[in-house]
Each structure stands twice: as structure tokens, then as C-alpha cells.
Amino acid sequence: MRGVVFDGKQARVVDDLEIRDPGPGEVLVAIRAAGLCHSDLSVLDGTIPFPPPVVLGHEGAGVVEAVGPGVVHVEPGDHVSLSTLANCGACADCDRGRPTMCRKAIGRPGQPFSRGGEPLHQFASNSAFAERTVVKAVQAVRIPSDIPLTSAALIGCGVLTGVGAVLNRARVDRGETVVVIGTGGIGLNVLQGARIAGATTIVAVDANPAKEAVARQFGATHFIDASAVADSSAAVKEILPTGADHAFECVGNVRLIRQAVDLLDRRGQAVLLGVPGFREEASFLVSSMYLDKTIMGCRYGSSRPQRDIALYAELYRQGKLLLDELVTEVYPVEDFAKAVDDAHHGRVARGVLTF
């Protein structure tokens, strides 16, 4: 079985992976497509520490091949989009509808894979860069079979994170103003989340002018090329003189986190989606916070995947949510190195690997 394995030094495509059968409450999924997300790249460069060897990938879609005892909501042949939340469903946070806060869903890698008799870790309880993977039943969300799997793959991370940050965490309301710093895969989904929520002024900020057209396609009403202005904050203030109701930092740069906070209007919210190094620190003027401003973390769009993935799939079918337009390039898994290089150099909004 083919898959992408990171040994702690390099990632490469192998063809001798093995995977165990699904156990109770588990689902075996034949992966058809998987998006290459910044989080996968962050494992490669050490920004996200993860024990090797590990099978990468966490943004996938495929077809159910087998289910373990007790699984009744999906069956072989169903098309599914996978989430990374292997939440328990029984703790206080799960009971409150906050599965992203379930402690069993965070940082507890299993080892359903093996290679040459040696176990390999599973990234984000998912490992979508493999021909087959085993996930907890709660992670497999049935979707209509008419949605292309290359597009459906992106729902499980980029869409849940970006759109969810707008609708679930920030709860952007109609008529409000939004600034989105960084228009990669997450930023584009924040833009379309703001559009769906009914924000009236949506300002995208990016240092790559080539991203303007796609940013506007996803919902930006204004675009600021940060590489062409001396002060992008001043450029934003020309559009929003009193500041924004919501500012989303989607890059993971502490300087831009400060910028997001500084761009807020009274009662504004800065939502942090980018992932800096785990030991990096950001600063802000404490005095500014007494105007009821808020700095918000956001994990995985504060999502409830069984609800949200189904919702976003339906919004796609209604033409309200863009998925196909997120897919810039499709690569066979053997071209993983090229997909990584394209992502590093900003040539793609999202590259998708296929099996």
C-alpha cells in the first residue's frame, strides 16, 4: 500500500505500508483524495512536533471499505469526508457540543500502520496520505456521492477551520466588517465564511498580488497588496477608519498577530488561525484592550464535524460554498515532493494528492 512517510528527517512515498482491520467503533476508508495543508508542512519543518515515523496527511475524502462492530452511521460504499477530531463523545466538553476541546482528540497518536513489522504513527488521528486509513467512526462523515472527492477532501480541515472560525468562533454577523490577513487555503475559507455570514466590508491583506483575483472570488470586497504599500495597516484604516469588527490572522506570524489586534475597532475580535512556532510570543498594547477588544484562539474552527461537514456539503451543492475553486492543482501521490515545493512557493491555494 502506498503512502507518505516522514521519518523525522525527510518525507517520501513508499509502497509497502500495511494497515490493520478496523476494530470496534472504527472505519476503514479507501482514500481517493487528500489536500496538502500547511499543518503537514509544519510537521516537516518542525513547527509542529510529532513523533516519527509517521504517515502524513489529515485532509482527506474517500470511500468506506469496512466498518468495525458498533458502527451504524456509515457502511461500505459510502462516500465520506474525514475530520481530525477523534473525540470521545462522552466527556463534559463533548456533551456541551465542544468536540474540539475533547482531550482525547488532541495529540494522542495511534499506530494503525506498520512497515516491515514496525509500527508507524498516525498524524492527526487521520493519515490521509495513504491508500487506506483507519479512523474512529466519529471522524467519518457521510457526504453525497455527487460531490467530487478532490473537492470534498478540503472540507475536513481547511473549510472547517476557516469557515468555522467565522461562523462558530467569531460569530460574524450581517453588516459587520472583517479583515483577513493571509489568503492561503485557510484565509480563502475565512473570506467565504465572512461572505456567507453577510459581512459587508471584507478586506483581504496579502503580500502576493497574484492572489487578488481569487481573494475577490471568495468574498473580498477590497484587496491590499502588502508588498506594494509602506504600511498595510494604514491602507486598511483608509477603508475602515475606526477599525474592523473582526480581524483574522491566517499566517502564523507574531508581527501580523499584533497587526490584527491593532486593526480592531471598539469591541472588535482578533481571531488567531495561523500557527507560529510553539515557543514564539506576541505582544500588544494592554491599554487598547479596555475598549472591550478580544483576542481569540481557535482550534479547528470550533467545529462539530458531523454537523458542519454535512452543512458545508449542502452549501456547496447550493452554490453558496466554493470548493472546486480551492483546488489549484491535482497531483498523483508519487508527485508529493512537487506538491510540497509548489505549496512552499505559494503557487497553489490548495494542492490535492490522489490515489
Side-chain angles (χ1 to χ4, degrees), residues 36 38 41 44-45 338-348:
L36 177 59
H38 184 74
L41 303 180
L44 300 181
D45 65 20
K338 183 179 186 303
V340 169
D341 188 65
D342 286 347
H344 269 309
H345 289 90
R347 301 186 191 110
V348 293

Side-chain angles (χ1 to χ4, degrees), residues 25 27 73 83 85-89 135-141 305-306:
V27 179
H73 75 291
S83 87
L85 285 183
N87 57 296
C88 71
V135 298
K136 289 185 65 172
V138 72
Q139 296 176 257
V141 184
Q306 286 288 338

Side-chain angles (χ1 to χ4, degrees), residues 171-203:
R171 298 192 177 186
V172 173
D173 203 356
R174 290 168 295 179
E176 292 189 323
T177 59
V178 172
V179 173
V180 180
I181 302 173
T183 59
I186 299 300
L188 290 177
N189 281 297
V190 173
L191 289 170
Q192 70 171 335
R195 170 178 51 79
I196 291 168
T200 50
T201 303
I202 306 171
V203 183

